[in-house]
Amino acid sequence: MSGIKINEEIYYVGIRDWDRRLFDELIPLPEGTTYNSYLVVGKEKTALIDTADPDKKDIYMNYLKNTTVKKIDYIITNHAEQDHSGCLPYVLEKYHEAKVVTNQKCKDFLKELLVIDDDKFLVIGDKETLSLGGKTLQFFMTPWVHWPETMATYLVEDKILFSCDFFGSHFATSDLFVTDESAVYRSAKRYFAEIMLPFRIQIGKNIEVVEGLDIKMIAPSHGPIYKNPKMIIDAYKDWISDKVKPEVLIPYTSMHGSVENIVQYLTDKFSEKGIFVKPFNLNKTDSGELAMALVDASTIIIGSPMVLAGPHPAVASAAVLINALRPKTRFISVVGSFGWGGKLVETLTSLTSNLKAEFIEPVLTKGIAKAEDYKRLDNLIEIIVEKNKNL
Ligand code: FEO
């Protein structure tokens, strides 16, 4: 048997994508990623749990070929997104007798995305089981981590939860198991922030399902396997909670220095007052850094120059992302600079309308900030400091 052994008759046949630096043409991957795929060999049947990104199909199919497994009976598909399902057509072509085991919603997606024939599917429901002979798979629907059709597969005898994206991390490593919890924590938080933050409520329900199981290991579809499941479950509970931290984030851009000066002033003053503050120069930071900070922060101050009567496009783009991620931000404001006028605040307010945050009086300066403007900035700072004291 080739593949890396995880437990008796359970093997890792996934791919490490060391060089990938962007996912969905949107999400930066500073540490690459992995597409985890697992073989579970029962006394009667063999199951493959998830496949890999089709970009890596040759390597992946070679990994499968190099195992001693000559027949795959079931391909458990926890999630239809192509980084896990994309090699399904190739696996089905080689292992003709295999059935794709998944829920009805995932089947519908797979038929649309990969054009797989109806008779290739075995549809299962929530909590149903499938015996491989001495190994029993049980399926749990875990919708919205981050698509509506996602499920997790629990290997009853070994107490392993194959959770797919849920609890995953974009973290390419040759370590099969988590060895550096703080590094994986950071990577998992970035991943949570980028795709799961809008679904906190649904994720809370899924965590209740997971906590109802006796789990020894969580084997996600990205990143290393957790032998200490509590670590990542507790992290998720913290990230989805309603708690915010007294932190001020300032996503901004500046063309000729006026906004930069304002941001520098705000950053210095909040620091002096003991409030955590972090500026994000949007042309230099990556969106994952900002997303990760949004998980906890109480306050966002968006900084932009007026460009063609509205916010700078880099700022508008960040506002769209913040709006889509629906962070639990409590307070939001705008600072900016203009030459002759426009709808900077109105546009940014409209672009962030999903946020349930209290809007605090913005401060716009004509050109560079002057003595009177600094007084208004001091007032904005005082309001935010007070509100953060009362969290
Ligand atoms: Fe890793 Fe939603 O795919």
Side-chain angles (χ1 to χ4, degrees):
M1 180 72 198
S2 192
I4 306 165
K5 185 170 175 181
I6 296 172
N7 219 0
E8 278 317 305
E9 301 300 339
I10 305 165
Y11 303 91
Y12 180 86
V13 287
I15 299 278
R16 276 86 179 223
D17 197 344
W18 303 94
D19 298 331
R20 188 159 180 182
R21 286 293 173 267
L22 199 60
F23 195 87
D24 290 346
E25 298 302 314
L26 172 67
I27 297 169
L29 305 178
E31 292 163 302
T33 190
T34 68
Y35 317 112
N36 298 345
S37 176
Y38 305 94
L39 266 175
V40 181
V41 183
K43 291 193 180 78
E44 290 137 30
K45 306 277 187 189
T46 295
L48 180 65
I49 300 181
D50 293 317
T51 69
D53 192 287
D55 270 3
K56 299 289 180 188
K57 83 167 166 34
D58 293 341
I59 302 173
Y60 181 67
M61 293 309 293
N62 217 30
Y63 280 178
L64 289 183
K65 196 176 103 194
N66 288 339
T67 68
T68 54
V69 166
K70 296 297 163 233
K71 183 168 172 261
I72 291 173
D73 300 282
Y74 303 119
I75 310 165
I76 315 300
T77 302
N78 286 318
H79 176 31
E81 195 168 9
Q82 292 91 329
D83 52 325
H84 311 294
S85 71
C87 283
L88 257 180
Y90 308 105
V91 179
L92 286 170
E93 193 180 315
K94 179 163 170 56
Y95 301 90
H96 308 284
E97 294 155 63
K99 291 278 184 206
V100 178
V101 180
T102 193
N103 61 77
Q104 182 63 49
K105 201 169 264 178
C106 188
K107 172 185 167 181
D108 294 342
F109 274 117
L110 291 168
K111 286 179 70 175
E112 297 294 342
L113 296 172
L114 300 170
V115 193
I116 296 173
D117 289 345
D118 213 64
D119 64 359
K120 285 286 177 194
F121 288 93
L122 172 64
V123 173
I124 47 81
D126 191 31
K127 299 189 179 57
E128 272 187 35
T129 58
L130 185 66
S131 175
L132 308 178
K135 301 269 188 203
T136 311
L137 302 175
Q138 187 169 23
F139 308 101
F140 291 90
M141 300 306 124
T142 51
W144 298 111
V145 287
H146 55 127
W147 280 17
E149 87 312 359
T150 41
M151 64 181 206
T153 299
Y154 179 60
L155 181 47
V156 177
E157 291 79 4
D158 299 83
K159 301 185 181 2
I160 300 175
L161 184 74
F162 298 93
S163 60
C164 204
D165 284 346
F166 197 16
F167 304 125
S169 59
H170 284 309
F171 190 70
T173 168
S174 62
D175 291 335
L176 186 60
F177 300 102
V178 172
T179 51
D180 180 346
E181 285 195 344
S182 61
V184 176
Y185 174 96
R186 190 173 160 76
S187 189
K189 185 175 186 181
R190 174 186 268 264
Y191 188 46
F192 168 87
E194 286 161 335
I195 63 169
M196 298 190 202
L197 187 52
F199 309 116
R200 289 189 301 123
I201 308 294
Q202 295 93 327
I203 289 172
K205 292 179 188 153
N206 294 335
I207 289 174
E208 284 174 20
V209 171
V210 168
E211 288 200 304
L213 300 170
D214 181 9
I215 296 174
K216 270 195 179 156
M217 285 185 215
I218 291 180
S221 59
H222 298 289
I225 297 169
Y226 302 90
K227 278 189 172 172
N228 174 17
K230 187 173 180 322
M231 169 245 157
I232 192 65
I233 293 172
D234 284 351
Y236 262 68
K237 282 165 129 176
D238 181 39
W239 300 335
I240 63 161
S241 75
D242 289 331
K243 271 185 318 188
V244 289
K245 294 180 182 160
E247 297 178 355
V248 178
L249 311 183
I250 314 180
Y252 77 98
T253 197
S254 183
M255 296 193 304
H256 298 291
S258 300
V259 176
E260 184 86 52
N261 281 353
I262 293 171
V263 172
Q264 183 69 51
Y265 188 76
L266 293 175
T267 307
D268 290 346
K269 289 291 174 187
F270 279 120
S271 297
E272 278 170 24
K273 290 173 186 295
I275 296 274
F276 178 93
V277 58
K278 189 164 181 182
F280 293 86
N281 183 333
L282 293 167
N283 289 314
K284 294 188 177 152
T285 193
D286 81 42
S287 59
E289 290 290 323
L290 175 59
M292 213 178 346
L294 289 170
V295 172
D296 302 313
S298 63
T299 309
I300 301 172
I301 303 175
I302 302 177
S304 178
M306 190 91 72
V307 180
L308 301 171
H312 189 287
V315 176
S317 169
V320 169
L321 179 67
I322 292 168
N323 196 51
L325 292 177
R326 297 172 186 254
K328 49 197 177 192
T329 314
R330 300 276 175 84
F331 315 110
I332 186 165
S333 189
V334 173
V335 293
S337 163
F338 64 96
W340 52 92
K343 293 191 184 305
L344 176 60
V345 174
E346 293 87 336
T347 306
L348 286 173
T349 307
S350 149
L351 289 175
T352 53
S353 60
N354 282 344
L355 271 59
K356 308 242 181 310
E358 178 184 342
F359 188 75
I360 299 172
E361 183 71 18
V363 176
L364 299 191
T365 67
K366 188 167 171 58
I368 198 136
K370 302 167 188 74
E372 190 54 37
D373 300 316
Y374 284 113
K375 280 189 196 156
R376 291 191 294 136
L377 288 170
D378 286 337
N379 185 48
L380 173 67
I381 292 163
E382 277 314 312
I383 292 170
I384 288 174
V385 169
E386 275 311 304
K387 290 199 178 284
N388 273 279
K389 272 188 197 157
N390 298 329
L391 278 174

